[in-house]
Amino acid sequence: MSARAWRALTWAGSAAATALTAHSLLNARALRTPALDPPEVRGRVSVLVPVRDEEERVGSCLTSLLDQLALPDHEVLVYDDASTDRTADVVEAVAAANPRVRLLRGDGPPAGWLGKAHACQRLAEAATGEVLVFVDADVVLAPHAVAAGVDLLRATGLDLLCPYPRQLALTWSERLVQPLLQWSWLTTLPLRRAEVSAHPSLAAANGQFLLVGAAAYHRAGGHAAVRTEVLDDIALLRAVKAAGGRGGVADGTALATCRMYEDWPALREGYAKSLWSAFGSGPGAVAVGAGLALTYLLPPLAALAGSPVGAAGYLAAVVGRYAAAERTGGRSLPDAFAHPASVALLLGLLADSRRRHARGELAWKGRPL
């Protein structure tokens, strides 16, 4: 590559990093935040927990669900998707002491369904609430979380809302990769426009803590409409929007915490199962990868070679990463300075996921994908 082309690309990447950071700062102000002291919820709420091999986590999750405040009429349904450990025993012990908890048992998904989508569909079919609240077993809710989520869902007139939990990241791989979850939509997605737009690219959701009106859910076809989607949460939001609904993400930092993965092998497997589908087609993934490299890898490389423009682009990216972490309860320093390493690792995970998907090697909890 010629020196002139290198300089042009450095300018382009640094300009993009600066613009995206400015956008993320605007989004940080626009991000909806639930009330810390919500009013008592009117009507029945169904809290739905799909589980498979979660004996180490489901107990803490259920304890937090039973400690919910301002929620006079709610049920907690747990669907055990043919767990091979003591998950069902843990849930049964909790249910025996509290009639609000009910365990449903399954033998695995039928042909043409992925496991989680099928579990969520079964839960929704058994639910009796006006609002359905899907919660993953690795999530722990604050006592006001469900009431605050329902209050914000109704106050905004949205049909689906995902208060994004604070992501706990302890090991090196978690600290590099997990903060990119919130950073990605804060940086790239026009949040308020995304709530009302039916365009597939303007969708961000998180099934870890997802609230949806029961009527809107069934009008969109429920999880049956997204039965083959690995990223079922985003697909469900798209289905709700396609049916005339609205929805998006909110700040769930004070409502919930989640530690998705506890080490590098678990993180790699977790991202491998779904990252291949995050950007649509192969060309789409290549385009996103090239854009990330241009914006967040090339400027710091140029800075190392003495480019002040590259240094400015790198610092702009650091500011964006820092601001996203501060807004969503993540670790901001010194982690923000490692943003290029985070992006490089993400690109490696994307390539690994697409390669393994093409070879038919992907599986999750003992089931092929």
Side-chain angles (χ1 to χ4, degrees):
M1 180 184 300
S2 69
R4 183 175 181 179
W6 178 258
R7 285 194 298 271
L9 289 174
T10 300
W11 272 95
S14 296
T18 302
L20 287 170
T21 289
H23 183 252
S24 72
L25 296 177
L26 293 174
N27 262 345
R29 298 187 63 180
L31 181 62
R32 299 186 187 276
T33 302
L36 294 178
D37 186 21
E40 186 174 275
V41 173
R42 292 174 283 107
R44 187 166 177 80
V45 175
S46 297
V47 184
L48 312 176
V49 188
V51 294
R52 176 171 166 80
D53 294 345
E54 297 284 2
E55 66 173 308
E56 300 289 336
R57 299 177 171 186
V58 70
S60 298
C61 177
L62 290 177
T63 297
S64 73
L65 296 181
L66 292 173
D67 287 341
Q68 292 300 298
L69 304 175
L71 204 61
D73 184 13
H74 79 287
E75 61 182 349
V76 179
L77 305 182
V78 184
Y79 184 87
D80 179 61
D81 184 18
S83 292
T84 60
D85 62 5
R86 296 186 58 257
T87 296
D89 296 335
V90 174
V91 177
E92 280 191 330
V94 174
N98 196 306
R100 283 179 294 173
V101 179
R102 182 155 59 101
L103 173 65
L104 310 176
R105 293 178 179 267
D107 297 323
W113 285 78
L114 290 181
K116 185 176 181 182
H118 181 250
C120 289
Q121 180 69 26
R122 291 287 303 275
L123 284 165
E125 290 170 352
T128 59
E130 301 172 13
V131 177
L132 309 180
V133 182
F134 292 94
V135 181
D136 281 356
D138 53 4
V139 171
V140 175
L141 297 184
H144 66 294
V146 173
V150 174
D151 175 59
L152 185 60
L153 180 77
R154 290 173 170 172
T156 56
L158 297 177
D159 297 285
L160 184 151
L161 180 71
C162 299
Y164 219 103
R166 181 165 65 91
Q167 301 298 310
L168 303 181
L170 304 181
T171 62
W172 68 269
S173 57
E174 295 171 89
R175 288 174 63 179
L176 283 174
V177 176
Q178 292 302 92
L180 297 179
L181 294 172
Q182 293 102 317
W183 169 86
S184 62
W185 49 260
L186 271 173
T187 300
T188 63
L189 196 69
L191 292 180
R192 294 301 174 86
R193 181 185 171 199
E195 289 178 349
V196 299
S197 173
H199 196 284
S201 65
L202 295 181
N206 187 344
Q208 294 170 352
F209 183 28
L210 185 153
L211 301 93
V212 59
Y217 176 86
H218 293 298
R219 186 166 58 246
H223 279 84
V226 299
R227 67 187 70 183
T228 62
E229 298 291 338
V230 176
L231 295 173
D232 58 277
D233 44 11
I234 295 177
L236 180 63
L237 173 58
R238 289 170 176 164
V240 167
K241 287 182 174 183
R246 302 185 301 151
V249 295
D251 179 17
T253 302
L255 303 188
T257 58
C258 178
R259 188 178 183 191
M260 293 175 63
Y261 310 113
E262 297 184 357
D263 52 31
W264 165 246
L267 185 146
R268 183 192 176 202
E269 291 303 308
Y271 277 85
K273 73 177 171 63
S274 59
L275 199 53
W276 63 270
S277 67
F279 308 113
S281 64
V286 170
V288 170
L292 288 172
L294 173 68
T295 307
Y296 298 110
L297 298 186
L298 193 148
L301 290 175
L304 291 175
S307 169
V309 174
Y314 165 65
L315 290 176
V318 169
V319 170
R321 173 70 173 268
Y322 174 88
E326 287 289 302
R327 184 66 177 84
T328 59
R331 193 194 304 257
S332 54
L333 294 175
D335 297 40
F337 288 101
H339 190 60
S342 294
V343 172
L345 185 55
L346 177 67
L347 294 179
L349 289 168
L350 174 58
D352 177 60
S353 178
R354 293 204 64 87
R355 175 185 60 81
R356 294 167 67 179
H357 175 257
R359 296 180 178 179
E361 298 174 351
L362 294 180
W364 185 247
K365 294 190 176 181
R367 291 174 178 163
L369 294 175

